[in-house]
Amino acid sequence: MSLKCLSSMSESGDPETTIIDAQGLGSVISAPSRTDVRVEGFTITGGGSVDYGGGVFGHYTTDLVLTNCIIRNNRGGVAAYQGANMVFHNCDIIN
């Protein structure tokens, strides 16, 4: 199996102006196994998954790095499952 990589950075870098809203339809960011994910400069909101991290969900051998993000108003907040590695730099997690 190969490792997949995904990076997403807001154009402004300001999480107050760049918002990802799941509108209650599951996790806002869900990183599957064997994935290297980098997210920077977003507000992550509206996640509706209590069991699987409404805001951010990483599972199995995921490496997930969030930088300069605001994670708020999600059901379930953040969840790391079975070996997921999550790193938060300059992030606010508010629920």
Side-chain angles (χ1 to χ4, degrees), residues 11-25:
E11 186 174 21
S12 70
D14 180 3
E16 292 289 347
T17 61
T18 309
I19 299 168
I20 304 172
D21 187 344
Q23 299 180 354
L25 301 174

Side-chain angles (χ1 to χ4, degrees), residues 24-88:
L25 301 174
S27 299
V28 181
I29 295 175
S30 180
S33 63
R34 300 200 45 81
T35 306
D36 183 6
V37 178
R38 305 287 182 259
V39 177
E40 184 173 344
F42 293 96
T43 290
I44 298 164
T45 191
S49 178
V50 174
D51 295 329
Y52 298 105
V56 180
F57 178 51
H59 43 109
Y60 301 109
T61 54
T62 297
D63 287 321
L64 180 58
V65 177
L66 285 91
T67 304
N68 194 31
C69 289
I70 299 169
I71 302 163
R72 70 172 166 218
N73 299 328
N74 297 287
R75 293 185 66 213
V78 174
Y81 182 71
Q82 291 190 349
N85 298 306
M86 291 188 184
V87 177
F88 298 90

